[in-house]
Amino acid sequence: MTATSDMKEHLIVGLDVPTVAEAERVVRDLEGVASFYKIGYQLVFAGGLEFARDLAASGNKVFLDMKLLDIDNTVAKGVENIVRMGVSMLTLHAYPKAMRAAVEAARGSDLCLLGVTVLTSMDEQDVIEAGYELDPHTLVLRRAEQALQAGMGGIVCSAQETEAVRRIVGPSMAVVTPGIRLAGGERGDQKRVVTPRDAMRNGSSHLVVARPIVGAVDRRAAAQAILDDMRSA
């Protein structure tokens, strides 16, 4: 992961924009610098699913951030249809039954299923308020172990937990890290943030970066700064 072309495979740009037209502008702005994009709720409900298909068909990689959670059959049927879209990654909440259903539904495909552990916008008080007795770090590690046991392709967690997570899941599983900010950058609503360099050093395989790139005046320069910081690890 020393060349820029290789590092692009590990940077996922979050297309957290209100319209497909704006997402298309972001992709055009980043042509040659980025090739992996996250599509989440905001864009999905504005025509983003068709855009995801088109983006994947054009040779880009797509991380569909749906955070699925439902009864086993519903999760399985959803995953079966998502497999046909040609996207590379899909998130679901890291509940054991849901993960097992998703793994079975995706079996034989190239879709990488990611278990979302604890959102990076949540701190210990938020986790307590949600009814969990475990602190965020302990909860992340438990869910990482459950994702491994379920046969998931990877997990999503803060880079603050990545080093400990790697000791559980080993070198093969993807560890995808949101909440990435350059040193001195605006945190926004993220509470557990880490720099790109530290995230890669801690064992993250992919970094998800949205506002620091999409909201920048010069998106290419912002993406390149993230890539440079990743390479410095």
Side-chain angles (χ1 to χ4, degrees), residues 37-97:
Y37 296 95
K38 176 182 79 73
I39 294 178
Y41 288 151
Q42 183 180 18
L43 196 56
V44 159
F45 297 123
L49 290 179
E50 287 301 322
F51 179 64
R53 290 188 181 93
D54 294 342
L55 200 57
S58 68
N60 291 286
K61 290 187 175 182
V62 175
F63 169 22
L64 193 59
D65 190 19
M66 294 302 296
K67 300 182 180 70
L68 300 180
L69 181 61
D70 212 308
I71 63 172
D72 297 359
N73 184 66
T74 300
V75 168
K77 296 304 181 184
V79 170
E80 288 173 3
N81 278 338
I82 290 169
V83 165
R84 300 185 184 101
M85 292 176 62
V87 302
S88 298
M89 288 179 166
L90 169 70
T91 56
L92 59 148
H93 281 290
Y95 285 65
K97 281 172 61 64

Side-chain angles (χ1 to χ4, degrees), residues 15-209:
L15 295 176
D16 297 338
V17 293
T19 67
V20 169
E22 179 61 22
E24 290 172 339
R25 282 193 289 272
V26 174
V27 173
R28 285 197 300 270
D29 287 348
L30 296 175
E31 185 176 359
V33 178
S35 60
F36 207 152
Y37 296 95
K38 176 182 79 73
I39 294 178
Y41 288 151
Q42 183 180 18
L43 196 56
V44 159
F45 297 123
L49 290 179
E50 287 301 322
F51 179 64
R53 290 188 181 93
D54 294 342
L55 200 57
S58 68
N60 291 286
K61 290 187 175 182
V62 175
F63 169 22
L64 193 59
D65 190 19
M66 294 302 296
K67 300 182 180 70
L68 300 180
L69 181 61
D70 212 308
I71 63 172
D72 297 359
N73 184 66
T74 300
V75 168
K77 296 304 181 184
V79 170
E80 288 173 3
N81 278 338
I82 290 169
V83 165
R84 300 185 184 101
M85 292 176 62
V87 302
S88 298
M89 288 179 166
L90 169 70
T91 56
L92 59 148
H93 281 290
Y95 285 65
K97 281 172 61 64
M99 290 192 291
R100 290 193 293 268
V103 167
E104 186 58 34
R107 194 174 302 282
S109 76
D110 293 328
L111 180 63
C112 179
L113 295 170
L114 303 171
V116 177
T117 55
V118 177
L119 300 176
T120 53
S121 61
M122 297 178 71
D123 58 18
E124 185 166 3
Q125 185 56 44
D126 295 320
V127 171
I128 291 171
E129 187 177 6
Y132 294 99
E133 296 181 354
L134 302 176
D135 63 89
H137 182 80
T138 304
L139 184 56
V140 167
L141 299 188
R142 175 173 292 185
R143 287 182 165 173
E145 185 173 0
Q146 291 168 334
L148 176 65
Q149 293 171 348
M152 296 282 284
I155 67 164
V156 180
C157 69
S158 164
Q160 293 181 3
E161 288 99 30
T162 301
E163 190 171 3
V165 163
R166 272 288 173 216
R167 290 196 290 269
I168 292 173
V169 304
S172 299
M173 285 179 67
V175 177
V176 179
T177 303
I180 299 297
R181 298 289 187 272
L182 287 170
E186 174 61 43
R187 285 177 171 240
D189 60 358
Q190 300 289 352
K191 295 181 178 179
R192 294 173 13 254
V193 301
V194 174
T195 66
R197 178 183 181 181
D198 287 342
M200 299 302 289
R201 281 185 167 180
N202 289 347
S204 296
S205 62
H206 299 77
L207 308 186
V208 179
V209 184

